[in-house]
Amino acid sequence: MNSPARFPSDFVWGAATAAYQIEGATREDGRGVSVWDTFSATPGTVRDGDTGETAADHYHRYAEDLDLMAGLGLQSYRFSVAWPRIQPTGSGAPNQKGLDFYRRLVEGLVERGIRPMATLFHWDLPQELQDRGGWENRDTAERFADYAEIVFDALPVRDWLTVNEPKTVVDCGYRNGIHAPGVRDDARAFVALHHLLLGHGLATRRLHAGHPGRRIGPALNLHPSYPADESPEALAAARHQDGLENRLYLDPILKGRYPEDTLAWIAERSPMAEHIREGDLAVISEPIDLLGVQYYTPIFVDGAGERVITNPRAQAEWLEIYPEGLHDVLVRLRRDYDGVPLVITENGLATVDAPDADGRVRDDERIAYLHGHLRAMHRAMAEGARVEAYHVWSLLDNYEWAEGYSQRFGIVHVDYTTQRRTPKDSALWYRDVIESGEIR
Ligand code: GBH
C-alpha cells in the first residue's frame, strides 16, 4: 500500500466550470448571441441537438451552487465570463446586468471564503464578431483586450485566465469543425491561432498596465506525446505531435517564438506566417504570472504518426486514463519552461452516472481517476514542479459541447429535468481530501 501523500498546507483545492456549459438563460438580461448559440442550433452539429439554452440553469441557481461549493469545502472556484453578456455584440459599452451577475457571483464566493478565478474566454465568442471574421480577423484580438479591461475593472478578482484551450479552438473549431464556428480548413485554423495568442497577450498587457497585484495567464490543454513503439519513426512522430499539441502554444507564450519545426509544417498548409507582424511575439510573450494546465489524456503515436490507444478509456473515447501523463507534463514544464507557477485548471473524467434508488451516485471510476492523478501530481511536486492549486473538471454535470448532455464530467450530478443537484461519491471523497490535505 502507498503511504499517505500530504500536500502543502497552502495548496489550494478547487473546481472549474465554463459559462456556456452551465449558465443557461441565453436570452436573458441583454445577453447577446454567441457562436455556440448559433452552432448548437444548427442541425447535425451536436449530439441529440442539445443546446446550452438551459444547461444547469446556473444563471438562476448560482446562490444554491455557491452553498454547494461551500458544503464541499472548496477553496477556489474557476468560472468563465460570457463575453456576450458583457458586450452583446462584442464591442462597445458594457451591459450592466451582465456585469452584475458576475459581481454577485464573485461576492458570494468571497463571502464563503472561496477564491474566484475567472476565465475571460471559454469559447463563447459574440456572434457579431464571428460575422466579421472571428479569430481570423486580427481586430478580434483588440476587441478581446477591450472586453478584458471592462471585466478587470468591474470584478474584484485576483487571478485571471485569458483564453481557454486555444488548441481546442484551433483543432475543433477550425480544423475538424466539431465545435463552433464549425470550420474545416487548416489554412484558416492557424491564422486564428495567431490571433488567439495575440488576444491573450494584449489582455495580459492590459491587466499588467492597470492592475498591479493581480495575476493572469492562459489555460492550455497539454497532451504529453509519446512514441507507441521504439522505432525512430515513432520517436520522430511523437516529437512532431509534441510540437502541435504543446510547443506551438507554450513556446510563443513562454519563449517568445513559435517552434521552427511546427512552423515549417504549418507553412505548407496555412498563410499564418503572413499574419505575424513585427512586435506580435513580444506581446504574446508578455510575462505571465501563472500557467493554467489542463490535463486529460496522453497521445501515443506510431511511426505513421497515427494515434494508438494504449490505455483504458472511460465514456469519452478521446480520453485515455493515464495518470502518469500528468506527472510527465508537470515535470516537463519544470524542465523546459521553468519558473512560472502552475495551476491545474482542469482535470477530470466523464462517466455514465445516475442516482441509485437511495439517491446516491456511486462514481467509483471517477474517484479512482482523481486519486491516481492527485498522486501523480504529488509526485511531480516532490520533484520540483511548482503546482499551487488543483481544479477538478467539473463542479457540475454540464453541456459537454459536441457531446451535449450525454457525457457527465461533474463531481455533482445534475438532473436536467428537475435541476436537482446531488453530490456524487467523488464529491464527498474530494471534500475529505480538501479537509485532510492528503490522499491515502
Ligand atoms: C476541456 O476540453 C474544456 O475546457 C471543457 O470545456 C470540457 O468540458 C472538458 O475539457 C471536457 O472535455 O476532437 O477527437 O479530440 C478538452 C478538450 C476537445 C477534448 C474536444 C475532446 C473532442 C474529441 N476536448 N475533444 S477530439
Side-chain angles (χ1 to χ4, degrees), residues 22-25 54-62 65 419 421:
I22 61 165
E23 286 178 357
T54 308
D57 197 32
H58 170 76
Y59 192 76
H60 298 119
R61 292 167 200 266
Y62 73 94
D65 291 338
Q419 291 295 343
R421 276 79 162 127

Side-chain angles (χ1 to χ4, degrees), residues 150-166:
I150 291 170
V151 185
F152 295 153
D153 287 341
L155 301 182
V157 169
R158 186 189 61 160
D159 289 348
W160 297 85
L161 296 161
T162 53
V163 175
N164 181 73
E165 298 192 350

Side-chain angles (χ1 to χ4, degrees), residues 17-18 21 78 122-123 164-165 167-169 171-172 176-179 219 221 223 294-297 299 307 316-319 345-350 393-394 398-403 407 409:
T17 63
Q21 296 180 270
R78 175 190 175 219
H122 202 124
W123 307 349
N164 181 73
E165 298 192 350
K167 179 185 157 60
T168 302
V169 179
D171 283 6
C172 299
N176 64 29
I178 66 169
H179 285 184
N221 50 328
H223 296 97
Q294 324 211 138
Y295 172 74
Y296 290 94
T297 190
I299 295 184
R307 184 171 179 189
E317 295 226 313
W318 56 275
L319 201 166
T345 40
E346 292 186 23
N347 173 237
L349 185 71
W393 182 271
S394 177
N398 60 51
Y399 182 73
E400 179 54 18
W401 308 112
E403 299 297 334
Q407 294 185 357
F409 273 89

